[in-house]
Amino acid sequence: AKASPRPTINPKLLTTILPIQSRNVAVIGAGAAGLVAARELRREGHKVVVLERENQIGGTWVYTNRIESDPLGLDPDRTVVHSSLYSSLRTNLPREVMGFLDYPFVTRDDGYRDPRRFPGHGEVLKYLKEFVSEFGIEEVVRFESEVVNVGLIENNKWRVRSKKKNNGYQYDDEIYDAVVVCNGHYTQPRIAEIPGINSWPGKQMHSHNYRVSEPFRDQVIILIGSAASAVDICRDLAGVAKEVHVACRSVADETYEKQPGYDNMWLHSMIERANKDGTVVFRNGNVVLADVILHCTGYKYHFPFLETNGVVTVDDNRVGPLYQHVFPPVLAPWLSFVGLPWKVIPFPLCELQSKWIAGVLSGRFVLPSQEEMMEDVKAFYSKLEASGMPKRYTHNMADYQFDYDNWLAEQCGHPNIEEWRVKMYSAVSKSKRVRPETYRDEWDDEDLVLQAQEDFVKYAS
Ligand code: FAD
């Protein structure tokens, strides 16, 4: 599934023939996506308000040791903790690749910073704070303002209702021309279905609520999953737990392997069932008496505030229909989403999506007709279906993120993603496979690091 080609628009030409319109735009969320959206919208001359539920910017990158009252994250009435970070987290992308295109994530070794190439999470938050201060974004962010409802009213405008903490709660209703949804998608847990789990007496939790390993000392843990968080957390746990058993969906049923370098960690195939005597049976036939099942099984898109009369739905984790993962054709360009794709480098992708949205809203870039956009979406879905891809992989861009980035860049008259970034991403992906334990501290793409640093000189102020 590749981003489909579209007639090229010459942004310079359009500037000369179309009036540039300034819109009132609400951005929901002040994470990386909302912050770069705010910057691009303001650069384009729009009036922007960023509504943020928490009391600071950064979204995912604001680490907290708080966890939710329901460790599985299923109770709809729980107080939501936004971030899913664990204390030991270091980035899984090198900083050169990860940063925004025109605001490089460079090392600032001033004693207070983490100069590593794959830094700890605190360094990313510092970088985002610098980004905010560099572009004066904070002045448009309203903190502790949770958006609770977004609905269409007459004249194609949006009514945005937000809840503000103020000696209790105060509700504000405001009218905007456009809404850009940037609420993140790593907060609402998805859990594995396990036959017999309701009578299993052990403790279950989702990685969303995992912070540190110490509470798991001397316990027997079954960890389900094999994506980035699972890979980190199982190693974190192996340092203190009695045993760690990793259940993985993508291996053969007979798989049962001791993990190299560990005498207390094993890789298994999926769980077959859980029993009321506390045992858990794997498809490989092994039976383990476990204390904890930790679901590192990913997250769901969740827009509890969005009321579109069924125009935009989430179906098996497909947010749709969306033209190029951004605009619902029927509501375009007045509603848009930034940051939905996964298995990508998020910051630059959000930056390009935001440039596109900003330019479309001002009238500088023109979208295809509603019908054409819908045809494009349908063709994309048919292609996914024909290749046997489940709906929940709709926004997985593992195979084509750079084609997509470049398609966006083309819409905006922006240069393509740098060659070194593409090569570095692929070098690091390979390095992760070859040395999963040490890829953050050992690498062999120093030539690309030098190229990136040379490139960054042009952004140094
Ligand atoms: P978020 O950062 O989640 O921000 C969303 C914001 O919206 C939050 O501030 C939230 O409070 C706010 N919000 C939500 N609902 C409302 C509402 N109703 N009203 C008002 N505000 C609301 N990316 C990388 O590039 N490198 C990495 O190494 C990396 N590691 C990761 C590790 C983990 C464990 C996770 C979970 C993600 C990781 N990511 C990584 C991806 C990361 O999510 C993105 O880098 C980026 O932070 C996404 O930004 P966002 O703005 O889309 O979402």
Side-chain angles (χ1 to χ4, degrees), residues 27-35 51-54 56-62 82-86 89-93 98 124 128 145-148 182-187 228-229 299 304-305 338-340 344-347 350 440:
V27 172
I28 303 175
L35 296 172
L51 295 154
E52 168 52 54
R53 183 167 55 188
E54 304 290 329
Q56 59 173 307
I57 66 102
T60 286
W61 297 100
V62 180
H82 184 79
S83 178
S84 301
L85 290 189
Y86 30 95
L89 184 134
R90 289 173 65 187
T91 65
N92 53 29
L93 292 172
M98 190 173 150
V124 184
L128 287 175
S145 296
E146 176 182 0
V147 173
V148 291
C182 305
N183 67 328
H185 50 89
Y186 294 109
T187 296
S229 298
Y299 296 88
F305 47 81
V338 177
L340 297 188
V344 297
I345 308 174
F347 289 18
C350 292
R440 291 181 171 98

Short mmCIF file of all heavy atoms in Angstrom, two decimals, residues 27-35 51-54 56-62 82-86 89-93 98 124 128 145-148 182-187 228-229 299 304-305 338-340 344-347 350 440, ligand 1:
data_model
loop_
_atom_site.label_atom_id
_atom_site.label_comp_id
_atom_site.label_asym_id
_atom_site.label_seq_id
_atom_site.Cartn_x
_atom_site.Cartn_y
_atom_site.Cartn_z
N VAL A 27 -6.68 23.47 18.13
CA VAL A 27 -5.82 22.27 18.08
C VAL A 27 -6.05 21.53 19.39
O VAL A 27 -5.97 22.14 20.46
CB VAL A 27 -4.34 22.69 17.94
CG1 VAL A 27 -3.42 21.47 18.08
CG2 VAL A 27 -4.10 23.40 16.61
N ILE A 28 -6.33 20.24 19.31
CA ILE A 28 -6.59 19.49 20.55
C ILE A 28 -5.34 18.70 20.92
O ILE A 28 -4.96 17.74 20.23
CB ILE A 28 -7.79 18.54 20.37
CG1 ILE A 28 -9.02 19.35 19.97
CG2 ILE A 28 -8.04 17.76 21.67
CD1 ILE A 28 -10.23 18.52 19.65
N GLY A 29 -4.66 19.12 21.99
CA GLY A 29 -3.48 18.42 22.48
C GLY A 29 -2.20 19.19 22.23
O GLY A 29 -2.00 19.75 21.15
N ALA A 30 -1.35 19.24 23.26
CA ALA A 30 -0.06 19.94 23.13
C ALA A 30 1.11 18.97 23.26
O ALA A 30 2.09 19.22 23.94
CB ALA A 30 0.04 21.04 24.18
N GLY A 31 0.98 17.82 22.59
CA GLY A 31 2.12 16.91 22.42
C GLY A 31 2.89 17.36 21.19
O GLY A 31 2.62 18.45 20.63
N ALA A 32 3.82 16.53 20.74
CA ALA A 32 4.65 16.89 19.58
C ALA A 32 3.77 17.29 18.39
O ALA A 32 4.05 18.27 17.70
CB ALA A 32 5.55 15.72 19.22
N ALA A 33 2.69 16.54 18.16
CA ALA A 33 1.83 16.80 17.00
C ALA A 33 1.12 18.16 17.12
O ALA A 33 1.14 18.97 16.19
CB ALA A 33 0.80 15.68 16.85
N GLY A 34 0.52 18.40 18.28
CA GLY A 34 -0.22 19.65 18.47
C GLY A 34 0.71 20.86 18.43
O GLY A 34 0.34 21.92 17.93
N LEU A 35 1.92 20.69 18.95
CA LEU A 35 2.85 21.82 18.99
C LEU A 35 3.31 22.20 17.59
O LEU A 35 3.35 23.38 17.24
CB LEU A 35 4.06 21.47 19.88
CG LEU A 35 3.72 21.24 21.36
CD1 LEU A 35 4.93 20.71 22.12
CD2 LEU A 35 3.20 22.53 22.00
N LEU A 51 -5.75 23.47 22.96
CA LEU A 51 -6.40 23.07 24.22
C LEU A 51 -5.71 21.82 24.74
O LEU A 51 -5.62 20.80 24.04
CB LEU A 51 -7.88 22.81 23.94
CG LEU A 51 -8.63 24.07 23.51
CD1 LEU A 51 -9.83 23.74 22.66
CD2 LEU A 51 -9.00 24.91 24.71
N GLU A 52 -5.19 21.91 25.95
CA GLU A 52 -4.40 20.80 26.51
C GLU A 52 -4.95 20.42 27.88
O GLU A 52 -5.11 21.26 28.76
CB GLU A 52 -2.92 21.23 26.62
CG GLU A 52 -2.03 20.30 27.43
CD GLU A 52 -2.10 18.83 27.01
OE1 GLU A 52 -1.89 18.54 25.82
OE2 GLU A 52 -2.36 17.98 27.89
N ARG A 53 -5.21 19.13 28.03
CA ARG A 53 -5.80 18.61 29.27
C ARG A 53 -4.86 18.73 30.47
O ARG A 53 -5.26 19.01 31.59
CB ARG A 53 -6.17 17.14 29.03
CG ARG A 53 -6.84 16.45 30.16
CD ARG A 53 -7.43 15.13 29.71
NE ARG A 53 -6.44 14.26 29.08
CZ ARG A 53 -6.75 13.11 28.48
NH1 ARG A 53 -8.00 12.72 28.41
NH2 ARG A 53 -5.82 12.36 27.95
N GLU A 54 -3.56 18.50 30.23
CA GLU A 54 -2.59 18.49 31.33
C GLU A 54 -2.12 19.92 31.64
O GLU A 54 -2.52 20.86 30.97
CB GLU A 54 -1.39 17.61 30.96
CG GLU A 54 -1.75 16.19 30.58
CD GLU A 54 -2.24 15.34 31.75
OE1 GLU A 54 -1.80 15.59 32.88
OE2 GLU A 54 -3.08 14.45 31.51
N GLN A 56 1.06 20.93 31.40
CA GLN A 56 2.29 21.27 30.68
C GLN A 56 2.28 20.65 29.29
O GLN A 56 1.48 19.76 29.00
CB GLN A 56 3.52 20.81 31.45
CG GLN A 56 3.60 19.34 31.74
CD GLN A 56 4.96 18.96 32.35
OE1 GLN A 56 6.00 19.26 31.81
NE2 GLN A 56 4.90 18.29 33.49
N ILE A 57 3.20 21.12 28.45
CA ILE A 57 3.29 20.59 27.09
C ILE A 57 4.07 19.26 27.11
O ILE A 57 4.71 18.94 28.09
CB ILE A 57 4.00 21.58 26.13
CG1 ILE A 57 5.48 21.76 26.53
CG2 ILE A 57 3.29 22.91 26.08
CD1 ILE A 57 6.46 21.03 25.70
N GLY A 58 4.00 18.50 26.02
CA GLY A 58 4.86 17.32 25.89
C GLY A 58 4.15 16.00 25.71
O GLY A 58 4.74 15.05 25.20
N GLY A 59 2.89 15.91 26.17
CA GLY A 59 2.11 14.68 25.94
C GLY A 59 2.81 13.43 26.44
O GLY A 59 3.18 13.34 27.63
N THR A 60 3.03 12.51 25.55
CA THR A 60 3.71 11.24 25.86
C THR A 60 4.99 11.46 26.65
O THR A 60 5.34 10.66 27.51
CB THR A 60 4.08 10.53 24.53
OG1 THR A 60 2.89 9.99 23.97
CG2 THR A 60 5.07 9.41 24.74
N TRP A 61 5.70 12.56 26.38
CA TRP A 61 7.05 12.73 26.92
C TRP A 61 7.07 13.32 28.33
O TRP A 61 8.13 13.60 28.88
CB TRP A 61 7.91 13.53 25.93
CG TRP A 61 8.04 12.76 24.66
CD1 TRP A 61 7.33 12.95 23.51
CD2 TRP A 61 8.85 11.60 24.44
NE1 TRP A 61 7.67 11.98 22.58
CE2 TRP A 61 8.59 11.15 23.13
CE3 TRP A 61 9.77 10.89 25.23
CZ2 TRP A 61 9.22 10.02 22.58
CZ3 TRP A 61 10.39 9.76 24.68
CH2 TRP A 61 10.11 9.35 23.37
N VAL A 62 5.87 13.51 28.91
CA VAL A 62 5.80 13.95 30.31
C VAL A 62 5.71 12.69 31.17
O VAL A 62 4.63 12.11 31.35
CB VAL A 62 4.56 14.84 30.54
CG1 VAL A 62 4.50 15.29 32.00
CG2 VAL A 62 4.58 16.04 29.61
N HIS A 82 -2.17 10.23 31.07
CA HIS A 82 -1.94 10.26 29.63
C HIS A 82 -0.73 9.44 29.17
O HIS A 82 -0.80 8.63 28.25
CB HIS A 82 -1.79 11.70 29.12
CG HIS A 82 -1.66 11.74 27.64
ND1 HIS A 82 -2.75 11.63 26.80
CD2 HIS A 82 -0.57 11.80 26.84
CE1 HIS A 82 -2.33 11.62 25.55
NE2 HIS A 82 -1.02 11.74 25.55
N SER A 83 0.41 9.64 29.82
CA SER A 83 1.65 9.08 29.28
C SER A 83 1.83 7.61 29.60
O SER A 83 1.45 7.13 30.67
CB SER A 83 2.85 9.85 29.83
OG SER A 83 4.04 9.28 29.34
N SER A 84 2.43 6.89 28.68
CA SER A 84 2.73 5.46 28.87
C SER A 84 4.21 5.22 29.08
O SER A 84 4.69 4.10 28.90
CB SER A 84 2.27 4.68 27.63
OG SER A 84 0.90 4.86 27.42
N LEU A 85 4.95 6.25 29.44
CA LEU A 85 6.40 6.07 29.58
C LEU A 85 6.75 5.30 30.84
O LEU A 85 6.10 5.43 31.86
CB LEU A 85 7.10 7.43 29.68
CG LEU A 85 7.15 8.31 28.46
CD1 LEU A 85 8.08 9.49 28.71
CD2 LEU A 85 7.59 7.56 27.22
N TYR A 86 7.82 4.50 30.74
CA TYR A 86 8.40 3.87 31.93
C TYR A 86 9.70 4.60 32.24
O TYR A 86 10.30 5.24 31.36
CB TYR A 86 8.62 2.37 31.71
CG TYR A 86 8.91 1.97 30.29
CD1 TYR A 86 10.23 1.84 29.84
CD2 TYR A 86 7.88 1.77 29.39
CE1 TYR A 86 10.49 1.50 28.53
CE2 TYR A 86 8.14 1.43 28.07
CZ TYR A 86 9.45 1.31 27.64
OH TYR A 86 9.71 0.99 26.34
N LEU A 89 12.97 4.43 30.09
CA LEU A 89 12.85 4.56 28.64
C LEU A 89 13.90 5.48 28.01
O LEU A 89 14.07 6.61 28.46
CB LEU A 89 11.45 5.05 28.25
CG LEU A 89 11.21 5.10 26.74
CD1 LEU A 89 9.87 4.49 26.38
CD2 LEU A 89 11.30 6.53 26.20
N ARG A 90 14.58 4.94 27.03
CA ARG A 90 15.41 5.75 26.13
C ARG A 90 14.79 5.70 24.75
O ARG A 90 14.11 4.73 24.42
CB ARG A 90 16.84 5.19 26.08
CG ARG A 90 17.61 5.41 27.37
CD ARG A 90 18.95 4.70 27.32
NE ARG A 90 19.86 5.25 26.31
CZ ARG A 90 21.03 4.69 26.00
NH1 ARG A 90 21.43 3.58 26.60
NH2 ARG A 90 21.80 5.24 25.09
N THR A 91 15.00 6.71 23.93
CA THR A 91 14.36 6.71 22.62
C THR A 91 14.79 5.48 21.83
O THR A 91 15.88 4.94 22.02
CB THR A 91 14.73 7.97 21.81
OG1 THR A 91 16.13 7.94 21.54
CG2 THR A 91 14.37 9.24 22.56
N ASN A 92 13.90 5.05 20.93
CA ASN A 92 14.28 3.93 20.07
C ASN A 92 14.66 4.42 18.68
O ASN A 92 14.89 3.63 17.78
CB ASN A 92 13.18 2.86 20.03
CG ASN A 92 11.83 3.44 19.66
OD1 ASN A 92 11.75 4.44 18.95
ND2 ASN A 92 10.77 2.83 20.14
N LEU A 93 14.72 5.73 18.52
CA LEU A 93 15.24 6.33 17.29
C LEU A 93 16.42 7.21 17.69
O LEU A 93 16.40 7.83 18.76
CB LEU A 93 14.18 7.22 16.65
CG LEU A 93 12.96 6.54 16.07
CD1 LEU A 93 11.92 7.59 15.65
CD2 LEU A 93 13.34 5.68 14.88
N MET A 98 15.04 11.61 14.67
CA MET A 98 13.77 11.81 15.39
C MET A 98 13.25 13.25 15.34
O MET A 98 12.04 13.47 15.33
CB MET A 98 14.00 11.39 16.85
CG MET A 98 12.75 11.31 17.66
SD MET A 98 13.14 10.61 19.28
CE MET A 98 11.88 11.42 20.24
N VAL A 124 13.93 14.38 25.64
CA VAL A 124 12.95 14.68 24.58
C VAL A 124 12.01 15.79 25.06
O VAL A 124 11.69 16.72 24.32
CB VAL A 124 12.14 13.43 24.17
CG1 VAL A 124 11.21 13.75 23.01
CG2 VAL A 124 13.06 12.27 23.82
N LEU A 128 11.34 19.45 23.37
CA LEU A 128 10.02 19.99 23.00
C LEU A 128 9.77 21.33 23.68
O LEU A 128 9.19 22.24 23.09
CB LEU A 128 8.91 18.98 23.37
CG LEU A 128 8.82 17.74 22.48
CD1 LEU A 128 7.77 16.76 23.00
CD2 LEU A 128 8.50 18.10 21.02
N SER A 145 -7.25 22.31 30.15
CA SER A 145 -8.49 22.49 29.39
C SER A 145 -8.74 21.22 28.59
O SER A 145 -8.14 21.01 27.54
CB SER A 145 -8.36 23.67 28.42
OG SER A 145 -8.17 24.86 29.13
N GLU A 146 -9.60 20.39 29.11
CA GLU A 146 -9.88 19.12 28.44
C GLU A 146 -11.03 19.29 27.47
O GLU A 146 -12.12 19.75 27.86
CB GLU A 146 -10.23 18.05 29.47
CG GLU A 146 -10.62 16.74 28.80
CD GLU A 146 -11.02 15.64 29.76
OE1 GLU A 146 -10.99 15.88 30.99
OE2 GLU A 146 -11.36 14.56 29.28
N VAL A 147 -10.82 18.94 26.23
CA VAL A 147 -11.90 19.02 25.25
C VAL A 147 -12.84 17.85 25.51
O VAL A 147 -12.41 16.69 25.52
CB VAL A 147 -11.34 18.97 23.82
CG1 VAL A 147 -12.49 18.87 22.81
CG2 VAL A 147 -10.50 20.20 23.55
N VAL A 148 -14.12 18.17 25.78
CA VAL A 148 -15.06 17.10 26.07
C VAL A 148 -16.07 16.89 24.94
O VAL A 148 -16.70 15.85 24.86
CB VAL A 148 -15.81 17.33 27.41
CG1 VAL A 148 -14.86 17.18 28.58
CG2 VAL A 148 -16.50 18.69 27.44
N CYS A 182 -5.12 16.29 17.71
CA CYS A 182 -3.74 15.85 17.98
C CYS A 182 -3.69 15.24 19.38
O CYS A 182 -2.83 15.59 20.19
CB CYS A 182 -2.78 17.05 17.95
SG CYS A 182 -2.83 18.02 16.45
N ASN A 183 -4.61 14.34 19.68
CA ASN A 183 -4.74 13.88 21.07
C ASN A 183 -3.90 12.64 21.38
O ASN A 183 -3.99 12.11 22.49
CB ASN A 183 -6.21 13.64 21.43
CG ASN A 183 -6.82 12.49 20.67
OD1 ASN A 183 -6.44 12.25 19.53
ND2 ASN A 183 -7.76 11.79 21.27
N GLY A 184 -3.08 12.19 20.44
CA GLY A 184 -2.20 11.05 20.71
C GLY A 184 -2.95 9.73 20.65
O GLY A 184 -4.18 9.70 20.70
N HIS A 185 -2.20 8.63 20.52
CA HIS A 185 -2.88 7.32 20.47
C HIS A 185 -2.12 6.24 21.22
O HIS A 185 -2.09 5.09 20.82
CB HIS A 185 -3.18 6.92 19.02
CG HIS A 185 -2.02 7.01 18.08
ND1 HIS A 185 -1.15 5.96 17.88
CD2 HIS A 185 -1.59 8.03 17.31
CE1 HIS A 185 -0.24 6.35 17.01
NE2 HIS A 185 -0.46 7.60 16.65
N TYR A 186 -1.50 6.66 22.34
CA TYR A 186 -0.83 5.68 23.19
C TYR A 186 -1.33 5.81 24.63
O TYR A 186 -0.54 5.87 25.57
CB TYR A 186 0.69 5.86 23.12
CG TYR A 186 1.26 5.57 21.76
CD1 TYR A 186 1.74 6.59 20.95
CD2 TYR A 186 1.30 4.26 21.28
CE1 TYR A 186 2.26 6.32 19.69
CE2 TYR A 186 1.81 3.99 20.01
CZ TYR A 186 2.28 5.02 19.24
OH TYR A 186 2.78 4.75 17.98
N THR A 187 -2.64 5.87 24.79
CA THR A 187 -3.19 6.04 26.14
C THR A 187 -4.29 5.02 26.43
O THR A 187 -4.45 4.58 27.55
CB THR A 187 -3.75 7.48 26.30
OG1 THR A 187 -2.66 8.40 26.19
CG2 THR A 187 -4.43 7.69 27.65
N ALA A 228 8.06 -2.48 20.56
CA ALA A 228 9.14 -1.75 21.23
C ALA A 228 9.05 -1.78 22.76
O ALA A 228 10.04 -2.09 23.43
CB ALA A 228 9.13 -0.31 20.73
N SER A 229 7.87 -1.50 23.32
CA SER A 229 7.75 -1.46 24.78
C SER A 229 8.00 -2.84 25.37
O SER A 229 8.66 -2.97 26.41
CB SER A 229 6.36 -1.00 25.22
OG SER A 229 6.13 0.29 24.78
N TYR A 299 -2.26 -0.09 21.73
CA TYR A 299 -3.25 0.92 22.11
C TYR A 299 -4.32 1.07 21.04
O TYR A 299 -4.15 0.62 19.91
CB TYR A 299 -2.53 2.26 22.33
CG TYR A 299 -1.56 2.18 23.49
CD1 TYR A 299 -0.25 1.76 23.29
CD2 TYR A 299 -1.98 2.47 24.77
CE1 TYR A 299 0.64 1.65 24.36
CE2 TYR A 299 -1.11 2.36 25.84
CZ TYR A 299 0.20 1.95 25.63
OH TYR A 299 1.06 1.83 26.70
N PRO A 304 -13.12 10.30 22.35
CA PRO A 304 -14.41 10.31 23.04
C PRO A 304 -15.16 11.62 22.89
O PRO A 304 -16.37 11.67 23.09
CB PRO A 304 -14.01 10.06 24.51
CG PRO A 304 -12.58 10.43 24.61
CD PRO A 304 -11.98 10.19 23.26
N PHE A 305 -14.46 12.68 22.49
CA PHE A 305 -15.07 14.02 22.41
C PHE A 305 -15.67 14.31 21.04
O PHE A 305 -16.35 15.30 20.85
CB PHE A 305 -13.99 15.08 22.71
CG PHE A 305 -12.69 14.84 21.96
CD1 PHE A 305 -12.56 15.23 20.65
CD2 PHE A 305 -11.63 14.19 22.58
CE1 PHE A 305 -11.38 14.99 19.95
CE2 PHE A 305 -10.44 13.96 21.89
CZ PHE A 305 -10.33 14.35 20.58
N VAL A 338 -3.72 14.82 13.03
CA VAL A 338 -2.26 14.79 12.87
C VAL A 338 -1.70 13.67 13.73
O VAL A 338 -2.07 13.53 14.89
CB VAL A 338 -1.61 16.14 13.30
CG1 VAL A 338 -0.09 16.06 13.18
CG2 VAL A 338 -2.15 17.28 12.45
N GLY A 339 -0.81 12.88 13.12
CA GLY A 339 -0.05 11.89 13.90
C GLY A 339 -0.66 10.52 14.02
O GLY A 339 -0.24 9.74 14.87
N LEU A 340 -1.65 10.18 13.17
CA LEU A 340 -2.24 8.84 13.30
C LEU A 340 -1.30 7.72 12.84
O LEU A 340 -1.31 6.64 13.44
CB LEU A 340 -3.54 8.74 12.50
CG LEU A 340 -4.70 9.65 12.92
CD1 LEU A 340 -5.96 9.29 12.15
CD2 LEU A 340 -4.96 9.55 14.42
N VAL A 344 6.52 4.70 12.22
CA VAL A 344 7.04 5.84 11.46
C VAL A 344 7.98 6.63 12.37
O VAL A 344 8.11 6.34 13.55
CB VAL A 344 5.89 6.78 11.02
CG1 VAL A 344 4.93 6.08 10.09
CG2 VAL A 344 5.15 7.36 12.23
N ILE A 345 8.59 7.66 11.77
CA ILE A 345 9.30 8.66 12.58
C ILE A 345 8.27 9.76 12.81
O ILE A 345 7.94 10.52 11.88
CB ILE A 345 10.51 9.23 11.82
CG1 ILE A 345 11.40 8.10 11.30
CG2 ILE A 345 11.29 10.18 12.72
CD1 ILE A 345 12.55 8.58 10.41
N PRO A 346 7.72 9.87 14.02
CA PRO A 346 6.53 10.72 14.16
C PRO A 346 6.74 12.22 13.98
O PRO A 346 5.91 12.88 13.35
CB PRO A 346 6.04 10.43 15.58
CG PRO A 346 6.83 9.28 16.10
CD PRO A 346 8.04 9.12 15.25
N PHE A 347 7.82 12.78 14.53
CA PHE A 347 7.90 14.25 14.54
C PHE A 347 7.90 14.85 13.11
O PHE A 347 7.10 15.74 12.82
CB PHE A 347 9.12 14.74 15.33
CG PHE A 347 9.06 14.55 16.84
CD1 PHE A 347 8.17 13.67 17.42
CD2 PHE A 347 9.91 15.26 17.67
CE1 PHE A 347 8.12 13.48 18.81
CE2 PHE A 347 9.88 15.09 19.06
CZ PHE A 347 8.98 14.20 19.63
N CYS A 350 4.49 14.45 11.43
CA CYS A 350 3.49 15.40 11.94
C CYS A 350 3.74 16.80 11.38
O CYS A 350 2.80 17.55 11.10
CB CYS A 350 3.54 15.46 13.47
SG CYS A 350 3.00 13.95 14.28
N ARG A 440 21.50 1.01 21.26
CA ARG A 440 21.46 2.43 21.65
C ARG A 440 22.85 2.98 21.99
O ARG A 440 23.02 4.19 22.09
CB ARG A 440 20.53 2.61 22.85
CG ARG A 440 19.05 2.38 22.53
CD ARG A 440 18.22 2.61 23.77
NE ARG A 440 16.79 2.60 23.52
CZ ARG A 440 15.98 1.56 23.72
NH1 ARG A 440 16.47 0.41 24.14
NH2 ARG A 440 14.69 1.65 23.47
P1 FAD B 1 0.93 12.79 22.59
O1 FAD B 1 2.34 13.04 22.87
O2 FAD B 1 0.28 11.64 23.24
O3 FAD B 1 0.14 14.13 22.97
C1 FAD B 1 -1.26 14.22 22.97
C2 FAD B 1 -1.68 15.37 23.87
O4 FAD B 1 -3.10 15.54 23.79
C3 FAD B 1 -1.37 15.15 25.34
O5 FAD B 1 -0.67 16.24 25.86
C4 FAD B 1 -2.74 14.98 25.99
O6 FAD B 1 -2.77 15.45 27.32
C5 FAD B 1 -3.61 15.80 25.08
N1 FAD B 1 -5.02 15.42 25.10
C6 FAD B 1 -5.54 14.18 24.94
N2 FAD B 1 -6.88 14.23 24.98
C7 FAD B 1 -7.21 15.53 25.19
C8 FAD B 1 -8.45 16.21 25.34
N3 FAD B 1 -9.62 15.58 25.28
N4 FAD B 1 -8.42 17.54 25.53
C9 FAD B 1 -7.24 18.22 25.59
N5 FAD B 1 -6.04 17.62 25.47
C10 FAD B 1 -6.04 16.29 25.26
N6 FAD B 1 8.49 8.49 19.19
C11 FAD B 1 9.74 8.80 18.77
O7 FAD B 1 9.91 9.62 17.87
N7 FAD B 1 10.84 8.21 19.35
C12 FAD B 1 10.73 7.32 20.37
O8 FAD B 1 11.73 6.81 20.86
C13 FAD B 1 9.41 7.00 20.85
N8 FAD B 1 9.25 6.16 21.90
C14 FAD B 1 7.99 5.96 22.40
C15 FAD B 1 7.83 5.15 23.52
C16 FAD B 1 6.57 4.93 24.06
C17 FAD B 1 6.41 4.06 25.27
C18 FAD B 1 5.44 5.54 23.47
C19 FAD B 1 4.07 5.33 24.03
C20 FAD B 1 5.58 6.33 22.34
C21 FAD B 1 6.85 6.55 21.79
N9 FAD B 1 7.03 7.36 20.67
C22 FAD B 1 8.29 7.62 20.21
C23 FAD B 1 5.87 7.91 19.95
C24 FAD B 1 5.37 9.19 20.59
O9 FAD B 1 4.08 8.99 20.96
C25 FAD B 1 5.51 10.34 19.62
O10 FAD B 1 6.88 10.66 19.56
C26 FAD B 1 4.81 11.65 19.99
O11 FAD B 1 5.02 11.92 21.33
C27 FAD B 1 3.34 11.65 19.66
O12 FAD B 1 2.88 12.95 19.85
P2 FAD B 1 1.33 13.32 19.80
O13 FAD B 1 1.28 14.78 19.98
O14 FAD B 1 0.71 12.70 18.62
O15 FAD B 1 0.66 12.59 21.06
#
